[in-house]
Amino acid sequence: MRSLALELRRRPLRLAVREARALHRVCSLLRELGLSDFVELGVEGVEVPRRILSSRHPKAAFACWLASRLTGSTSLTLGVDLGERNIGVAAVVEGVVAYTGVLRSVAEVRSLVADLRELGFPLRVRLGYAGQNPPDAKRVAAELRREGVQVELVDEDEARVSVLLGDFSFMGKLSPHELAALKIALSPAAPANDTVK
Protein backbone atom coordinates (compact mmCIF):
# COMPACT_ATOMS: atom_id res chain seq x y z
CA MET A 1 0.00 0.00 0.00
CA ARG A 2 1.33 3.41 -1.00
CA SER A 3 -0.01 6.95 -0.75
CA LEU A 4 -0.70 8.96 -3.89
CA ALA A 5 1.86 11.57 -2.77
CA LEU A 6 4.55 8.91 -2.34
CA GLU A 7 3.74 7.40 -5.72
CA LEU A 8 3.89 10.83 -7.40
CA ARG A 9 7.22 11.54 -5.71
CA ARG A 10 8.59 8.31 -7.20
CA ARG A 11 7.01 8.82 -10.63
CA PRO A 12 6.31 12.52 -11.34
CA LEU A 13 3.42 13.30 -13.64
CA ARG A 14 3.11 16.18 -16.09
CA LEU A 15 -0.40 17.44 -16.76
CA ALA A 16 -1.57 19.49 -19.72
CA VAL A 17 -4.01 22.26 -18.83
CA ARG A 18 -4.73 24.70 -21.66
CA GLU A 19 -7.61 26.84 -20.35
CA ALA A 20 -7.06 29.49 -17.67
CA ARG A 21 -10.16 28.51 -15.68
CA ALA A 22 -9.19 24.82 -15.74
CA LEU A 23 -5.61 25.71 -14.76
CA HIS A 24 -6.87 27.61 -11.71
CA ARG A 25 -9.12 24.66 -10.74
CA VAL A 26 -6.34 22.07 -11.16
CA CYS A 27 -3.91 24.17 -9.10
CA SER A 28 -6.53 24.54 -6.38
CA LEU A 29 -7.22 20.78 -6.30
CA LEU A 30 -3.52 19.95 -6.16
CA ARG A 31 -3.10 22.33 -3.19
CA GLU A 32 -6.14 20.91 -1.38
CA LEU A 33 -4.83 17.36 -1.88
CA GLY A 34 -1.28 18.31 -0.82
CA LEU A 35 0.14 17.29 -4.21
CA SER A 36 1.35 20.65 -5.60
CA ASP A 37 5.02 19.74 -5.28
CA PHE A 38 4.68 16.46 -7.17
CA VAL A 39 2.83 17.42 -10.36
CA GLU A 40 4.07 19.64 -13.19
CA LEU A 41 1.59 21.71 -15.19
CA GLY A 42 2.04 22.92 -18.75
CA VAL A 43 0.70 22.72 -22.27
CA GLU A 44 2.37 19.33 -22.83
CA GLY A 45 1.50 16.21 -20.88
CA VAL A 46 -1.58 14.22 -19.90
CA GLU A 47 -4.72 16.27 -20.39
CA VAL A 48 -7.09 16.52 -17.42
CA PRO A 49 -10.60 15.50 -18.52
CA ARG A 50 -13.16 18.30 -18.07
CA ARG A 51 -15.71 15.96 -16.50
CA ILE A 52 -13.37 15.50 -13.52
CA LEU A 53 -13.25 19.22 -12.84
CA SER A 54 -17.04 19.51 -13.12
CA SER A 55 -17.88 16.49 -10.97
CA ARG A 56 -19.79 16.84 -7.69
CA HIS A 57 -16.76 15.47 -5.80
CA PRO A 58 -13.82 16.93 -7.74
CA LYS A 59 -11.13 16.23 -5.10
CA ALA A 60 -11.97 12.53 -4.95
CA ALA A 61 -12.47 12.24 -8.72
CA PHE A 62 -9.21 14.05 -9.50
CA ALA A 63 -7.18 12.03 -6.97
CA CYS A 64 -8.59 8.73 -8.27
CA TRP A 65 -7.90 9.78 -11.86
CA LEU A 66 -4.28 10.69 -10.96
CA ALA A 67 -3.81 7.30 -9.27
CA SER A 68 -5.25 5.50 -12.29
CA ARG A 69 -2.84 7.39 -14.59
CA LEU A 70 0.11 6.34 -12.42
CA THR A 71 -0.89 2.69 -12.01
CA GLY A 72 -2.37 2.12 -15.44
CA SER A 73 -5.46 0.66 -13.76
CA THR A 74 -9.04 1.90 -13.48
CA SER A 75 -10.01 -0.71 -10.89
CA LEU A 76 -11.08 1.18 -7.78
CA THR A 77 -12.10 0.01 -4.30
CA LEU A 78 -14.07 2.43 -2.13
CA GLY A 79 -14.11 1.69 1.60
CA VAL A 80 -17.00 3.23 3.53
CA ASP A 81 -17.23 3.59 7.31
CA LEU A 82 -20.88 4.34 8.14
CA GLY A 83 -20.79 6.47 11.29
CA GLU A 84 -23.75 8.14 12.99
CA ARG A 85 -22.76 11.69 12.02
CA ASN A 86 -19.71 11.26 9.82
CA ILE A 87 -19.05 8.74 7.06
CA GLY A 88 -15.44 7.95 6.28
CA VAL A 89 -14.48 7.08 2.71
CA ALA A 90 -11.21 5.79 1.27
CA ALA A 91 -10.50 5.16 -2.41
CA VAL A 92 -7.73 2.72 -3.37
CA VAL A 93 -6.55 2.24 -6.95
CA GLU A 94 -4.31 -0.80 -7.48
CA GLY A 95 -2.59 -0.53 -4.08
CA VAL A 96 -2.36 3.29 -4.15
CA VAL A 97 -4.41 5.14 -1.56
CA ALA A 98 -5.80 7.84 -3.83
CA TYR A 99 -8.21 9.66 -1.55
CA THR A 100 -9.67 9.70 1.95
CA GLY A 101 -12.38 12.00 3.22
CA VAL A 102 -15.42 12.45 5.43
CA LEU A 103 -18.95 12.76 4.08
CA ARG A 104 -22.08 13.74 6.01
CA SER A 105 -24.79 11.49 4.56
CA VAL A 106 -25.54 8.31 2.64
CA ALA A 107 -26.83 10.55 -0.17
CA GLU A 108 -23.30 12.00 -0.47
CA VAL A 109 -21.86 8.48 -0.62
CA ARG A 110 -24.27 7.59 -3.43
CA SER A 111 -23.34 10.83 -5.22
CA LEU A 112 -19.61 10.03 -4.92
CA VAL A 113 -20.19 6.50 -6.22
CA ALA A 114 -22.17 7.90 -9.17
CA ASP A 115 -19.37 10.40 -9.96
CA LEU A 116 -16.70 7.71 -9.94
CA ARG A 117 -18.78 5.40 -12.10
CA GLU A 118 -19.44 8.22 -14.60
CA LEU A 119 -15.67 8.61 -14.93
CA GLY A 120 -15.44 4.99 -16.06
CA PHE A 121 -14.08 3.37 -12.91
CA PRO A 122 -15.12 -0.28 -12.43
CA LEU A 123 -16.01 0.28 -8.79
CA ARG A 124 -16.16 -2.09 -5.85
CA VAL A 125 -17.71 -0.61 -2.71
CA ARG A 126 -16.84 -2.18 0.63
CA LEU A 127 -19.24 -1.16 3.41
CA GLY A 128 -18.19 -1.60 7.01
CA TYR A 129 -20.62 -2.91 9.61
CA ALA A 130 -20.35 -3.39 13.35
CA GLY A 131 -22.13 -5.88 15.56
CA GLN A 132 -24.39 -8.78 14.72
CA ASN A 133 -27.21 -6.76 13.14
CA PRO A 134 -26.04 -4.12 10.65
CA PRO A 135 -29.32 -2.70 9.27
CA ASP A 136 -27.76 0.54 7.98
CA ALA A 137 -25.03 -1.25 6.03
CA LYS A 138 -27.53 -3.72 4.58
CA ARG A 139 -29.87 -0.92 3.51
CA VAL A 140 -27.10 1.09 1.84
CA ALA A 141 -25.74 -2.08 0.19
CA ALA A 142 -29.19 -2.86 -1.23
CA GLU A 143 -29.58 0.70 -2.56
CA LEU A 144 -26.18 0.60 -4.29
CA ARG A 145 -26.76 -2.88 -5.70
CA ARG A 146 -30.03 -1.69 -7.26
CA GLU A 147 -27.91 0.90 -9.10
CA GLY A 148 -25.64 -1.85 -10.44
CA VAL A 149 -22.73 -1.32 -8.03
CA GLN A 150 -20.67 -4.26 -6.75
CA VAL A 151 -20.92 -4.14 -2.94
CA GLU A 152 -19.31 -6.19 -0.17
CA LEU A 153 -20.06 -6.02 3.54
CA VAL A 154 -16.95 -6.00 5.75
CA ASP A 155 -16.85 -6.63 9.50
CA GLU A 156 -15.22 -3.50 10.97
CA ASP A 157 -13.84 -5.40 13.96
CA GLU A 158 -12.04 -7.86 11.67
CA ALA A 159 -10.77 -5.06 9.44
CA ARG A 160 -9.48 -3.16 12.47
CA VAL A 161 -7.23 -6.04 13.57
CA SER A 162 -6.32 -7.59 10.20
CA VAL A 163 -5.06 -4.48 8.40
CA LEU A 164 -1.82 -2.74 9.40
CA LEU A 165 -1.59 0.75 7.93
CA GLY A 166 2.05 1.55 8.53
CA ASP A 167 2.80 5.25 7.92
CA PHE A 168 -0.90 6.11 7.57
CA SER A 169 -1.66 5.26 11.19
CA PHE A 170 0.84 7.50 12.96
CA MET A 171 0.92 10.54 10.69
CA GLY A 172 -2.09 12.04 12.45
CA LYS A 173 -3.50 13.40 9.20
CA LEU A 174 -6.48 11.06 8.90
CA SER A 175 -9.59 11.17 11.05
CA PRO A 176 -10.74 7.99 12.82
CA HIS A 177 -13.49 7.65 10.18
CA GLU A 178 -10.98 7.87 7.33
CA LEU A 179 -8.69 5.32 9.02
CA ALA A 180 -11.63 2.94 9.50
CA ALA A 181 -12.69 3.37 5.85
CA LEU A 182 -9.13 2.70 4.70
CA LYS A 183 -8.95 -0.49 6.77
CA ILE A 184 -12.33 -1.56 5.34
CA ALA A 185 -11.08 -0.95 1.78
CA LEU A 186 -7.86 -2.89 2.39
CA SER A 187 -9.19 -5.77 4.50
CA PRO A 188 -8.95 -9.32 3.11
CA ALA A 189 -11.69 -10.25 0.67
CA ALA A 190 -14.98 -11.28 2.19
CA PRO A 191 -16.53 -14.69 1.47
CA ALA A 192 -18.62 -14.84 -1.70
CA ASN A 193 -21.91 -14.51 0.19
CA ASP A 194 -22.04 -11.62 2.62
CA THR A 195 -25.27 -12.57 4.32
CA VAL A 196 -24.88 -10.91 7.65
CA LYS A 197 -27.46 -11.86 10.25
Side-chain angles (χ1 to χ4, degrees):
M1 174 190 63
R2 308 163 316 270
S3 70
L4 181 55
L6 179 62
E7 198 63 16
L8 282 167
R9 186 177 293 143
R10 287 179 33 197
R11 295 188 290 167
L13 191 60
R14 186 176 180 87
L15 301 180
V17 185
R18 293 180 180 87
E19 298 175 14
R21 182 179 292 174
L23 178 62
H24 174 73
R25 187 70 180 123
V26 168
C27 288
S28 175
L29 288 170
L30 287 170
R31 270 194 312 276
E32 290 174 37
L33 292 165
L35 302 174
S36 299
D37 294 338
F38 311 119
V39 177
E40 289 182 48
L41 299 175
V43 292
E44 299 291 324
V46 181
E47 191 161 351
V48 179
R50 286 185 184 182
R51 65 181 187 259
I52 286 175
L53 302 179
S54 63
S55 78
R56 291 164 290 204
H57 301 273
K59 277 174 46 176
F62 185 56
C64 291
W65 177 78
L66 284 172
S68 74
R69 295 302 306 182
L70 288 172
T71 62
S73 173
T74 58
S75 180
L76 191 153
T77 300
L78 183 69
V80 180
D81 173 47
L82 295 170
E84 288 182 25
R85 291 194 183 109
N86 297 310
I87 299 174
V89 293
V92 180
V93 178
E94 203 65 38
V96 174
V97 179
Y99 176 80
T100 64
V102 176
L103 302 177
R104 302 291 179 217
S105 69
V106 171
E108 282 189 59
V109 173
R110 291 175 65 193
S111 171
L112 174 59
V113 167
D115 271 5
L116 294 173
R117 290 182 76 207
E118 285 172 17
L119 294 170
F121 287 106
L123 186 62
R124 179 176 67 151
V125 176
R126 305 191 82 207
L127 290 172
Y129 70 88
Q132 294 297 317
N133 187 15
D136 290 341
K138 282 183 165 182
R139 178 182 52 79
V140 174
E143 290 173 7
L144 290 172
R145 285 179 179 139
R146 278 193 296 273
E147 295 170 14
V149 178
Q150 179 187 351
V151 182
E152 295 175 18
L153 294 177
V154 176
D155 184 327
E156 289 183 29
D157 292 333
E158 285 183 25
R160 191 175 300 120
V161 297
S162 67
V163 177
L164 301 175
L165 294 179
D167 64 342
F168 287 93
S169 60
F170 68 78
M171 289 169 55
K173 293 182 178 179
L174 301 182
S175 74
H177 298 289
E178 290 170 293
L179 285 171
L182 188 52
K183 287 189 172 198
I184 289 164
L186 296 170
S187 66
N193 68 356
D194 57 13
T195 54
V196 181
K197 296 180 174 114

